[in-house]
Amino acid sequence: MKLGQRIPLSIKRLGINGEGIGYYKRNVVFVKGALPGEDIYAELTKINRNFAEAKIIKIHKQSKARQTPPCPVYDLCGGCQLQHMKYGDQLKAKRDVIVQALHKYVKNSAKQVDIRKTIGMSDPWHYRNKSQFQVRKIGSHVAAGLYTENSHKLLDIDDCLVQDTRTTAITNKAKKIIEELDIPVYNSKTHKGIVRTIVVRVGLQTGEIQLVLITSRKNFPNKEVLLEKLKGIDESIVSIVQNINNDQTSLIFGDQTITLYGQDTIHEELGELAFDLSARAFFQLNPSQTVHLYNEIKQAAGLTGKEKIVDAYCGVGTIGLWLADQAKEVRGMDIIPESIEDAKKNAKKHGFTHTKYVAGTAEKWLDIWQKEGFIPDVLTVDPPRTGLAPSLINTLLQVKPKRIVYTSCNPSTLAKDLQELMKVYNVEYIQPLDMFPQTAHVESVTLLTLK
């Protein structure tokens, strides 16, 4: 194969990033925007040792799943990957991504695993309760949005079809105020300027809104005037926070956070639980679908009221607290101290006296607790995309909780982790859920039981 070569391809399936996958002379070819069942003519844009990438030149046979993406900047943005696919077909494709991952990493056991139909949303739009838009100067205009795919070019976004409309409306007003007051905007090349990012989080059940400005330093000209104008954007804004990040990094948040106006946190409700969320605290981005996710976790946990539970990667305690009313004891850990403080407050607020939250890694505390005689009956874990740390897997294989409920946002790392865990655990089933419609993200709940 040569760069620029044009080839015919039949697309067999979707990849983990939402691209179509075809084969040319036994070589894997990834094609952005292509759908399973399509016959296309494609041009090779990148060639690696084990695979190639291509772009669509012409679609000869179009999939019945194809639709026109409703977002006007869909092709430029890269934030969504599947708007060109009908929603029902997205759900089937996401289940298939899990199937393919299992066949790659646990081939001998893959056919025996019960992989259920994906649980979708009745309305798969405007579901994200939090936006994080980078701020940059484009000419004299202050822009806020996302970088176009694989570039440092910022796409100014006034409306986003997967964001709660309030997040984009408040961001739009904030960037206009920054422009009017001529507040210096951060330049990632020169490392000069003040405002780096605008973050807006909405409590979907309470209506409370928090506005966060990420800045390169604490003090800057017109700061008080800026604050007064930001307060007037929307009466639902109950918290305005400044976070300082002066590092040359792609990370959004720095270590120092200051409340400029109102509350330190916003209030949000999930089912019968309520949570106070600080600016840096992790919370599910799709709360309405999160209720379905947590109910699936609870069902998998199989609680009788006698179980000792460990909630690893616990964040502000949401999963553990969801299970607490049917558990004997809940313990959780997280490496972010602020999240642990929030978890403690959330547990106390709900009147739970049988919970314990500590800062640190899951493997550290599981080892300590095992030596003290505490072994969980159920361990629930919701790790980042990188999956479980090898050290945690080793600890789990030694501690041996009776049940592990593994919530995953990455089928590849899930399958890799199952490859190790299946040495002492059976995989009872995998339940996919669509937490991020229109994107390639695949969430699932896996129940493992001790052999």
Side-chain angles (χ1 to χ4, degrees), residues 150-222:
N150 301 319
S151 83
H152 287 288
K153 183 181 179 183
L154 191 80
L155 184 66
D156 193 18
I157 298 175
D158 289 327
D159 184 29
C160 176
L161 296 182
V162 296
Q163 284 290 155
D164 184 289
T165 54
R166 289 166 290 184
T167 65
T168 43
I170 288 168
T171 301
N172 289 339
K173 290 176 182 177
K175 69 184 180 185
K176 285 180 181 177
I177 292 169
I178 291 165
E179 184 179 308
E180 289 167 3
L181 295 177
D182 201 23
I183 307 290
V185 170
Y186 183 76
N187 185 313
S188 57
K189 292 180 180 178
T190 63
H191 197 50
K192 293 180 179 178
I194 302 297
V195 182
R196 297 176 65 134
T197 313
I198 298 171
V199 180
V200 181
R201 177 147 57 184
V202 177
L204 295 190
Q205 297 301 315
T206 64
E208 293 187 354
I209 298 172
Q210 183 178 64
L211 170 59
V212 185
L213 286 187
I214 317 290
T215 61
S216 60
R217 62 175 189 260
K218 181 179 178 181
N219 297 312
F220 52 87
N222 277 336

Side-chain angles (χ1 to χ4, degrees), residues 14 35-36 65 67 82-83 85-99 115-124 127 286 289 411 430-444:
L14 277 192
L35 294 176
Q67 66 176 10
L82 297 178
Q83 282 193 25
M85 192 179 204
K86 292 175 183 175
Y87 188 56
D89 294 286
Q90 289 183 32
L91 300 180
K92 293 174 187 175
K94 291 187 178 191
R95 179 188 179 275
D96 187 60
V97 169
I98 296 175
V99 172
I115 305 174
R116 299 176 176 179
K117 290 183 179 180
T118 308
I119 298 171
M121 295 187 72
S122 56
D123 180 9
Y127 56 82
N286 185 348
Q289 191 72 336
I430 299 176
Q431 175 63 68
L433 294 97
D434 192 19
M435 296 297 291
F436 300 101
Q438 320 308 330
T439 79
H441 287 277
V442 182
E443 197 99 6
S444 62

Side-chain angles (χ1 to χ4, degrees), residues 9 19 21 38-39 77 85 113 128 148 174 186 201 217 240 254 297 305 333-334 352 374 386 397 400 403 433:
L9 279 177
E19 67 281 84
I21 296 178
E38 293 188 329
D39 293 332
C77 177
M85 192 179 204
V113 177
R128 290 178 67 102
T148 57
Y186 183 76
R201 177 147 57 184
R217 62 175 189 260
I240 299 178
I297 294 170
M333 72 284 280
D334 199 283
F352 292 129
F374 176 90
T386 48
L397 295 178
K400 295 180 181 176
R403 298 162 85 88
L433 294 97

Side-chain angles (χ1 to χ4, degrees), residues 236-263:
S236 298
I237 296 175
V238 298
S239 173
I240 299 178
V241 171
Q242 180 187 10
N243 176 269
I244 295 109
N245 182 0
N246 196 34
D247 294 334
Q248 295 187 37
T249 174
S250 59
L251 295 176
I252 302 290
F253 283 91
D255 294 329
Q256 186 181 4
T257 304
I258 306 161
T259 301
L260 302 178
Y261 163 75
Q263 305 163 185

Side-chain angles (χ1 to χ4, degrees), residues 39-54:
D39 293 332
I40 67 169
Y41 198 49
E43 182 180 307
L44 297 174
T45 56
K46 191 175 182 179
I47 297 175
N48 289 309
R49 186 176 177 183
N50 300 319
F51 67 92
E53 295 177 15

Side-chain angles (χ1 to χ4, degrees), residues 130 201 253 276-283 315-316 336 338-339 342:
K130 181 183 179 183
R201 177 147 57 184
F253 283 91
D276 291 316
L277 307 174
S278 56
R280 290 182 65 198
F282 170 78
F283 193 73
V316 299
I336 299 175
E338 293 99 322
S339 293
D342 285 343

